[in-house]
PDB file of all heavy atoms in Angstrom:
ATOM      1  N   GLU A 426      13.700 -11.642 -22.048  1.00 95.00           N
ATOM      2  CA  GLU A 426      13.961 -13.070 -22.156  1.00 95.00           C
ATOM      3  C   GLU A 426      15.166 -13.362 -23.036  1.00 95.00           C
ATOM      4  O   GLU A 426      15.959 -14.256 -22.749  1.00 95.00           O
ATOM      5  CB  GLU A 426      12.707 -13.741 -22.726  1.00 95.00           C
ATOM      6  CG  GLU A 426      12.307 -14.962 -21.961  1.00 95.00           C
ATOM      7  CD  GLU A 426      10.974 -15.517 -22.435  1.00 95.00           C
ATOM      8  OE1 GLU A 426       9.950 -14.946 -22.015  1.00 95.00           O
ATOM      9  OE2 GLU A 426      10.971 -16.478 -23.215  1.00 95.00           O
ATOM     10  N   SER A 427      15.320 -12.578 -24.114  1.00 96.00           N
ATOM     11  CA  SER A 427      16.424 -12.880 -25.035  1.00 96.00           C
ATOM     12  C   SER A 427      17.766 -12.600 -24.359  1.00 96.00           C
ATOM     13  O   SER A 427      18.745 -13.304 -24.604  1.00 96.00           O
ATOM     14  CB  SER A 427      16.265 -12.101 -26.346  1.00 96.00           C
ATOM     15  OG  SER A 427      16.750 -10.790 -26.186  1.00 96.00           O
ATOM     16  N   GLU A 428      17.801 -11.611 -23.484  1.00 96.00           N
ATOM     17  CA  GLU A 428      19.056 -11.332 -22.784  1.00 96.00           C
ATOM     18  C   GLU A 428      19.363 -12.430 -21.760  1.00 96.00           C
ATOM     19  O   GLU A 428      20.523 -12.726 -21.485  1.00 96.00           O
ATOM     20  CB  GLU A 428      18.999  -9.961 -22.105  1.00 96.00           C
ATOM     21  CG  GLU A 428      18.980  -8.830 -23.136  1.00 96.00           C
ATOM     22  CD  GLU A 428      19.003  -7.429 -22.529  1.00 96.00           C
ATOM     23  OE1 GLU A 428      18.999  -7.295 -21.290  1.00 96.00           O
ATOM     24  OE2 GLU A 428      19.016  -6.465 -23.321  1.00 96.00           O
ATOM     25  N   LEU A 429      18.306 -13.028 -21.208  1.00 97.00           N
ATOM     26  CA  LEU A 429      18.517 -14.142 -20.289  1.00 97.00           C
ATOM     27  C   LEU A 429      19.032 -15.358 -21.069  1.00 97.00           C
ATOM     28  O   LEU A 429      19.941 -16.060 -20.624  1.00 97.00           O
ATOM     29  CB  LEU A 429      17.210 -14.475 -19.560  1.00 97.00           C
ATOM     30  CG  LEU A 429      17.335 -15.536 -18.470  1.00 97.00           C
ATOM     31  CD1 LEU A 429      18.280 -15.090 -17.365  1.00 97.00           C
ATOM     32  CD2 LEU A 429      15.970 -15.878 -17.894  1.00 97.00           C
ATOM     33  N   HIS A 430      18.468 -15.562 -22.275  1.00 97.00           N
ATOM     34  CA  HIS A 430      18.943 -16.638 -23.154  1.00 97.00           C
ATOM     35  C   HIS A 430      20.433 -16.459 -23.457  1.00 97.00           C
ATOM     36  O   HIS A 430      21.189 -17.426 -23.449  1.00 97.00           O
ATOM     37  CB  HIS A 430      18.158 -16.640 -24.480  1.00 97.00           C
ATOM     38  CG  HIS A 430      16.952 -17.520 -24.433  1.00 97.00           C
ATOM     39  ND1 HIS A 430      17.051 -18.900 -24.402  1.00 97.00           N
ATOM     40  CD2 HIS A 430      15.635 -17.235 -24.417  1.00 97.00           C
ATOM     41  CE1 HIS A 430      15.828 -19.412 -24.360  1.00 97.00           C
ATOM     42  NE2 HIS A 430      14.952 -18.419 -24.356  1.00 97.00           N
ATOM     43  N   ASP A 431      20.832 -15.215 -23.727  1.00 96.00           N
ATOM     44  CA  ASP A 431      22.244 -14.940 -24.029  1.00 96.00           C
ATOM     45  C   ASP A 431      23.128 -15.381 -22.871  1.00 96.00           C
ATOM     46  O   ASP A 431      24.167 -15.995 -23.069  1.00 96.00           O
ATOM     47  CB  ASP A 431      22.473 -13.437 -24.285  1.00 96.00           C
ATOM     48  CG  ASP A 431      21.809 -12.981 -25.573  1.00 96.00           C
ATOM     49  OD1 ASP A 431      21.449 -13.854 -26.396  1.00 96.00           O
ATOM     50  OD2 ASP A 431      21.639 -11.750 -25.746  1.00 96.00           O
ATOM     51  N   PHE A 432      22.676 -15.046 -21.651  1.00 97.00           N
ATOM     52  CA  PHE A 432      23.453 -15.419 -20.463  1.00 97.00           C
ATOM     53  C   PHE A 432      23.569 -16.940 -20.365  1.00 97.00           C
ATOM     54  O   PHE A 432      24.650 -17.494 -20.202  1.00 97.00           O
ATOM     55  CB  PHE A 432      22.789 -14.839 -19.202  1.00 97.00           C
ATOM     56  CG  PHE A 432      23.283 -15.452 -17.920  1.00 97.00           C
ATOM     57  CD1 PHE A 432      24.504 -15.072 -17.377  1.00 97.00           C
ATOM     58  CD2 PHE A 432      22.537 -16.430 -17.261  1.00 97.00           C
ATOM     59  CE1 PHE A 432      24.969 -15.654 -16.202  1.00 97.00           C
ATOM     60  CE2 PHE A 432      22.993 -17.012 -16.092  1.00 97.00           C
ATOM     61  CZ  PHE A 432      24.216 -16.621 -15.556  1.00 97.00           C
ATOM     62  N   ASP A 433      22.432 -17.606 -20.494  1.00 97.00           N
ATOM     63  CA  ASP A 433      22.407 -19.068 -20.355  1.00 97.00           C
ATOM     64  C   ASP A 433      23.285 -19.718 -21.443  1.00 97.00           C
ATOM     65  O   ASP A 433      24.002 -20.674 -21.179  1.00 97.00           O
ATOM     66  CB  ASP A 433      20.956 -19.561 -20.457  1.00 97.00           C
ATOM     67  CG  ASP A 433      20.841 -21.072 -20.343  1.00 97.00           C
ATOM     68  OD1 ASP A 433      21.282 -21.614 -19.300  1.00 97.00           O
ATOM     69  OD2 ASP A 433      20.340 -21.717 -21.289  1.00 97.00           O
ATOM     70  N   ARG A 434      23.211 -19.157 -22.662  1.00 97.00           N
ATOM     71  CA  ARG A 434      24.019 -19.707 -23.759  1.00 97.00           C
ATOM     72  C   ARG A 434      25.512 -19.603 -23.429  1.00 97.00           C
ATOM     73  O   ARG A 434      26.263 -20.563 -23.574  1.00 97.00           O
ATOM     74  CB  ARG A 434      23.699 -18.999 -25.078  1.00 97.00           C
ATOM     75  CG  ARG A 434      24.390 -19.650 -26.271  1.00 97.00           C
ATOM     76  CD  ARG A 434      23.872 -19.191 -27.631  1.00 97.00           C
ATOM     77  NE  ARG A 434      23.113 -17.947 -27.601  1.00 97.00           N
ATOM     78  CZ  ARG A 434      23.644 -16.737 -27.536  1.00 97.00           C
ATOM     79  NH1 ARG A 434      24.958 -16.580 -27.482  1.00 97.00           N
ATOM     80  NH2 ARG A 434      22.870 -15.655 -27.513  1.00 97.00           N
ATOM     81  N   ARG A 435      25.928 -18.441 -22.933  1.00 96.00           N
ATOM     82  CA  ARG A 435      27.347 -18.256 -22.587  1.00 96.00           C
ATOM     83  C   ARG A 435      27.771 -19.267 -21.518  1.00 96.00           C
ATOM     84  O   ARG A 435      28.828 -19.888 -21.625  1.00 96.00           O
ATOM     85  CB  ARG A 435      27.591 -16.825 -22.077  1.00 96.00           C
ATOM     86  CG  ARG A 435      27.793 -15.811 -23.202  1.00 96.00           C
ATOM     87  CD  ARG A 435      28.385 -14.505 -22.667  1.00 96.00           C
ATOM     88  NE  ARG A 435      27.625 -13.915 -21.561  1.00 96.00           N
ATOM     89  CZ  ARG A 435      26.570 -13.111 -21.727  1.00 96.00           C
ATOM     90  NH1 ARG A 435      26.163 -12.789 -22.939  1.00 96.00           N
ATOM     91  NH2 ARG A 435      25.929 -12.620 -20.680  1.00 96.00           N
ATOM     92  N   VAL A 436      26.929 -19.460 -20.500  1.00 96.00           N
ATOM     93  CA  VAL A 436      27.265 -20.415 -19.441  1.00 96.00           C
ATOM     94  C   VAL A 436      27.373 -21.822 -20.021  1.00 96.00           C
ATOM     95  O   VAL A 436      28.308 -22.576 -19.726  1.00 96.00           O
ATOM     96  CB  VAL A 436      26.228 -20.377 -18.292  1.00 96.00           C
ATOM     97  CG1 VAL A 436      26.500 -21.484 -17.270  1.00 96.00           C
ATOM     98  CG2 VAL A 436      26.252 -19.020 -17.606  1.00 96.00           C
ATOM     99  N   ARG A 437      26.432 -22.166 -20.907  1.00 96.00           N
ATOM    100  CA  ARG A 437      26.458 -23.520 -21.497  1.00 96.00           C
ATOM    101  C   ARG A 437      27.714 -23.710 -22.333  1.00 96.00           C
ATOM    102  O   ARG A 437      28.361 -24.757 -22.276  1.00 96.00           O
ATOM    103  CB  ARG A 437      25.199 -23.769 -22.315  1.00 96.00           C
ATOM    104  CG  ARG A 437      24.001 -24.107 -21.414  1.00 96.00           C
ATOM    105  CD  ARG A 437      22.776 -24.538 -22.193  1.00 96.00           C
ATOM    106  NE  ARG A 437      22.146 -23.419 -22.894  1.00 96.00           N
ATOM    107  CZ  ARG A 437      22.078 -23.298 -24.196  1.00 96.00           C
ATOM    108  NH1 ARG A 437      22.580 -24.218 -24.986  1.00 96.00           N
ATOM    109  NH2 ARG A 437      21.487 -22.243 -24.733  1.00 96.00           N
ATOM    110  N   GLU A 438      28.074 -22.665 -23.100  1.00 95.00           N
ATOM    111  CA  GLU A 438      29.277 -22.761 -23.935  1.00 95.00           C
ATOM    112  C   GLU A 438      30.518 -22.955 -23.068  1.00 95.00           C
ATOM    113  O   GLU A 438      31.361 -23.799 -23.352  1.00 95.00           O
ATOM    114  CB  GLU A 438      29.430 -21.501 -24.788  1.00 95.00           C
ATOM    115  CG  GLU A 438      28.594 -21.554 -26.057  1.00 95.00           C
ATOM    116  CD  GLU A 438      28.473 -20.196 -26.737  1.00 95.00           C
ATOM    117  OE1 GLU A 438      29.229 -19.261 -26.355  1.00 95.00           O
ATOM    118  OE2 GLU A 438      27.619 -20.066 -27.624  1.00 95.00           O
TER     119      GLU A 438
END
Side-chain angles (χ1 to χ4, degrees):
E426 227 173 280
S427 82
E428 291 183 358
L429 186 62
H430 269 289
D431 292 344
F432 165 78
D433 179 58
R434 187 167 18 79
R435 277 195 306 275
V436 174
R437 282 188 288 114
E438 277 166 12

